[in-house]
């Protein structure tokens, strides 16, 4: 059997990271088994679904590197097929026309509630002669599901779960206007797409029992199911905007690397010993759906941020430089050309050691693209006392005569400090203020080397007058 999984989002405006994790698990499961990972856009609700929302999903999946096989299936294009299967069930005697009006259904509901029962369709058209159909009422098609016994699902994450059939009513598969219900459409699509494993959020578990009844009625083999727990916030409530970022593209803007987010989402509720940093290839090799926890996972933004820092340090310097330039491009106070790009690239090995997000990384690199005279942060301005300015003049002279390699610069500064009876820090502090306009930066020698002789000397001169 070739494993085939699918991610089936409803395009409602954003790609929630809970959904992204569902997509990731489907992707990893398929790749682990050498199978196929498919995408189906569940856009049957034409009012709520927009092309823009579909684009957001595609962009998020692409950014995360969750590559799909085969063409994307749009559920809305398949309504004729959904109706066909509903009529097939009707012909097989596994479904029936229900002529209940909205008013009758409302009364049924109210009566059930008044009697303390859960509101359920009472099956009044199940065995009734269709010749009794009222004139002018368009019927819906309902599944004629068994009333005895249990519906059992052997879930790969939740274990064996069952519901008594008496607890479920005959669900509508085709509405009176001829449109399929969501539960029915999903079954028909999963069957036609030859999906072998449905991995989705555990909020769908109750739907699964109803869907299994549709499979049984048609005589199709149901896929295997794995219902994964939802992501909660630190307070235990379902993760929402008030906890922080929830949309995948928001994480991108906030400076997370896709591989870090993937690693974090994988580890959220899935573990392999105490392995924390799992790259993509290893994740595919190790992924096992049985190792997914049954309990809800809690989103820990601090942990994600730390993991992101680890991935930034591992990331390629050219790629990081590109990201930084993209993020700085809108800043009017910077002069971003090939010279600044060269400086940023040169200092990247040191810059990336300190940043936990690309936003921080870009901020820390911005000084390299500033224009002389540099604006000074208050603390840096405080370093530039009259004495420090004089010192900077001398340092400038020494540096003018130094070869601008990190090693020579380090030796020159140490020599200068020694000659003038100072500690290296006493020289480096005002120098850092002059070069960066701030009090934090990578090592002073690397910073000087990245700026290059002319720029470094111009900044020192500007700060010492
Ligand atoms: N469209 C559903 C959702 O976005 C998923 C349905 C499924 O995976 O079966 O929640």
């Amino acid at each position: 059997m070739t494993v085939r999984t699918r991610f089936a989002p409803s395009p409602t405006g954003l790609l929630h990271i809970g959904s992204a994790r569902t997509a990731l698990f489907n992707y990893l499961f398929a790749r682990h088994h050498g199978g196929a990972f498919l995408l189906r856009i569940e856009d049957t609700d034409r009012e709520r679904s927009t092309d823009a929302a579909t684009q957001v999903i595609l962009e998020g999946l692409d950014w995360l590197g969750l590559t799909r096989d085969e063409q994307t299936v749009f559920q809305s294009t398949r309504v004729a097929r959904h109706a066909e299967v509903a009529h097939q069930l009707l012909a097989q005697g596994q479904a029936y026309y229900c002529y209940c009006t909205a008013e009758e259904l409302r009364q049924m509901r109210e009566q059930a509630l008044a009697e303390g029962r859960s509101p359920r369709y009472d099956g009044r058209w199940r065995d009734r002669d269709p010749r009794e159909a009222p004139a002018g009422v368009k019927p819906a098609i309902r599944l004629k599901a068994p009333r005895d016994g249990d519906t059992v699902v052997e879930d790969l994450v939740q274990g064996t779960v069952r519901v008594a059939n008496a607890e479920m009513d005959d669900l509508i598969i085709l509405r009176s206007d001829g449109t399929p219900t969501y539960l029915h459409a999903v079954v028909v699509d999963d069957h036609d797409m030859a999906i072998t494993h449905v991995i989705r959020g555990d909020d769908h578990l109750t739907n699964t029992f109803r869907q299994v009844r549709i499979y049984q009625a048609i005589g199709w083999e149901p896929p295997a199911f794995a219902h994964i727990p939802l992501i909660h916030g630190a307070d235990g409530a379902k993760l929402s905007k008030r906890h922080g970022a929830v949309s995948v593209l928001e994480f991108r803007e906030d400076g997370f690397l896709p591989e870090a987010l993937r690693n974090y989402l994988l580890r959220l509720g899935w573990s392999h010993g105490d392995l924390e940093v799992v790259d993509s290839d290893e994740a595919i090799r190790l992924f096992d759906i049985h190792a997914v926890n049954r309990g809800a996972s809690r989103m820990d933004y601090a942990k994600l941020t730390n993991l992101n820092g680890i991935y930034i340090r591992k990331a390629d310097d050219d790629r990081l430089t590109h990201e930084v330039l993209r993020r700085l491009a809108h800043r009017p106070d910077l002069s971003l050309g090939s010279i600044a790009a060269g400086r940023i690239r040169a200092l990247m090995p040191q810059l990336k050691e300190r940043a936990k997000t690309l936003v921080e990384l870009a901020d820390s690199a911005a000084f390299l693209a500033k224009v002389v005279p540099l604006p000074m942060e208050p603390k840096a301005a405080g370093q530039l006392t009259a004495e420090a300015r004089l010192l900077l003049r001398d340092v400038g002279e020494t540096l003018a005569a130094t070869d601008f390699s990190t090693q020579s610069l380090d030796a020159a500064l140490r020599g200068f400090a020694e000659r003038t009876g100072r500690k290296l820090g006493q020289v480096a502090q005002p120098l850092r203020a002059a070069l960066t306009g701030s009090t934090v930066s990578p090592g002073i020698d690397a910073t000087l080397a990245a700026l290059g002789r002319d720029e470094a000397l111009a900044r020192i001169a500007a700060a010492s007058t």
Side-chain angles (χ1 to χ4, degrees):
M1 177 189 67
T2 307
V3 164
R4 289 169 67 84
T5 64
R6 75 347 182 236
F7 174 49
S10 310
T12 52
L14 57 79
L15 178 58
H16 191 281
I17 53 158
S19 302
R21 190 177 58 144
T22 301
L24 174 65
F25 284 11
N26 275 287
Y27 168 88
L28 291 175
F29 187 81
R31 294 286 172 264
H32 178 84
H33 291 283
F37 168 60
L38 279 59
L39 175 64
R40 181 173 71 235
I41 301 288
E42 304 213 310
D43 57 348
T44 29
D45 183 347
R46 295 307 292 163
E47 272 169 26
R48 286 177 60 205
S49 312
T50 62
D51 289 346
T54 299
Q55 281 314 314
V56 164
I57 291 169
L58 297 176
E59 205 176 325
L61 293 177
D62 287 345
W63 179 68
L64 283 169
L66 302 181
T67 48
R68 282 84 63 198
D69 301 301
E70 304 178 12
Q71 290 270 318
T72 300
V73 173
F74 289 86
Q75 194 162 56
S76 60
T77 63
R78 296 183 36 83
V79 289
R81 169 68 178 150
H82 303 144
E84 179 189 58
V85 175
H87 285 282
Q88 186 186 324
L89 279 164
L90 200 61
Q92 289 175 4
Q94 302 283 358
Y96 59 92
Y97 280 126
C98 169
Y99 292 89
C100 278
T101 59
E103 176 55 23
E104 274 179 280
L105 290 170
R106 196 186 58 77
Q107 280 174 8
M108 214 182 287
R109 194 185 153 77
E110 275 180 5
Q111 192 174 342
L113 288 173
E115 292 169 10
R117 294 181 285 116
S118 58
R120 227 177 277 152
Y121 174 66
D122 63 6
R124 63 181 62 175
W125 281 97
R126 186 177 163 109
D127 297 309
R128 200 156 152 190
D129 191 335
R131 278 174 300 187
E132 292 174 28
V137 177
K138 278 198 177 163
I141 299 180
R142 286 187 185 265
L143 190 74
K144 197 170 194 173
R147 290 175 154 176
D148 307 323
D150 289 344
T151 296
V152 182
V153 174
E154 301 292 345
D155 192 275
L156 297 174
V157 172
Q158 309 290 330
T160 306
V161 273
R162 63 176 71 230
V163 170
N165 287 332
E167 299 286 316
M168 292 182 279
D169 58 8
D170 287 344
L171 64 104
I172 294 179
I173 52 178
L174 204 68
R175 296 186 193 92
S176 55
D177 65 2
T179 59
T181 55
Y182 163 73
L183 289 171
H184 176 65
V186 169
V187 168
V188 176
D189 292 346
D190 283 340
H191 171 266
D192 289 0
M193 291 164 75
I195 299 302
T196 58
H197 294 76
V198 167
I199 303 172
R200 61 187 173 194
D202 63 9
D203 50 338
H204 284 285
L205 189 56
T206 50
N207 289 341
T208 303
F209 294 112
R210 298 171 145 252
Q211 289 175 334
V212 164
R213 284 151 71 90
I214 302 178
Y215 280 102
Q216 287 167 344
I218 319 176
W220 289 340
E221 175 81 18
F225 290 99
H227 288 90
I228 59 176
L230 300 180
I231 303 179
H232 289 195
D235 58 359
K238 202 175 148 188
L239 190 71
S240 71
K241 269 200 160 75
R242 86 193 148 77
H243 293 106
V246 291
S247 121
V248 166
L249 296 184
E250 207 176 339
F251 282 98
R252 180 177 70 179
E253 272 332 288
D254 288 349
F256 291 91
L257 290 175
E259 61 269 37
L261 189 59
R262 264 173 74 149
N263 188 153
Y264 181 73
L265 290 177
L266 169 64
R267 286 286 293 104
L268 203 56
W270 175 91
S271 52
H272 183 84
D274 45 18
L275 199 63
E276 286 291 343
V277 181
V278 197
D279 71 20
S280 297
D281 289 344
E282 211 176 5
I284 290 172
R285 196 166 58 75
L286 297 175
F287 188 72
D288 173 9
I289 191 79
H290 296 98
V292 174
N293 295 337
R294 248 191 254 182
S297 345
R298 295 201 177 191
M299 179 76 194
D300 182 340
Y301 289 93
K303 205 165 165 188
L304 166 63
T305 307
N306 279 329
L307 194 58
N308 200 48
I310 294 173
Y311 275 95
I312 285 181
R313 288 196 286 283
K314 280 159 63 121
D316 174 72
D317 292 335
D318 286 333
R319 172 186 173 203
L320 293 175
T321 302
H322 176 78
E323 284 291 341
V324 163
L325 292 172
R326 190 174 75 77
R327 279 161 200 277
L328 295 179
H330 67 279
R331 285 190 41 176
D333 60 325
L334 304 179
S335 165
L336 281 166
S338 58
I339 295 178
R343 290 177 197 154
I344 292 171
R345 174 63 185 82
L347 200 55
M348 192 49 77
Q350 283 79 18
L351 290 170
K352 73 179 183 183
E353 288 299 318
R354 303 153 171 258
K356 289 194 171 155
T357 68
L358 296 175
V359 173
E360 281 179 27
L361 188 67
D363 281 348
S364 74
F367 80 89
L368 293 163
K370 285 195 175 150
V371 190
V372 179
L374 260 51
M376 291 284 151
E377 286 174 12
K379 269 194 193 166
Q383 300 271 356
L384 297 174
T385 57
E387 193 195 335
R389 284 165 198 263
L390 286 175
L391 170 78
L392 281 176
R393 234 172 267 174
D394 294 344
V395 175
E397 271 169 30
T398 300
L399 293 179
T402 307
D403 152 48
F404 258 59
S405 70
T406 321
Q407 266 176 353
S408 314
L409 287 163
D410 180 60
L413 290 175
R414 281 178 197 284
F416 178 88
E418 216 168 283
R419 272 201 314 282
T420 57
R422 292 183 170 90
K423 291 199 176 118
L424 186 59
Q426 290 173 298
V427 180
Q429 272 175 356
L431 188 53
R432 175 169 284 118
L435 296 172
T436 70
S438 83
T439 51
V440 264
S441 81
I444 203 74
D445 44 359
T447 303
L448 280 163
L451 284 167
R453 183 195 310 271
D454 293 348
E455 180 69 15
L457 294 181
R459 291 185 181 200
I460 292 168
S464 55
T465 50

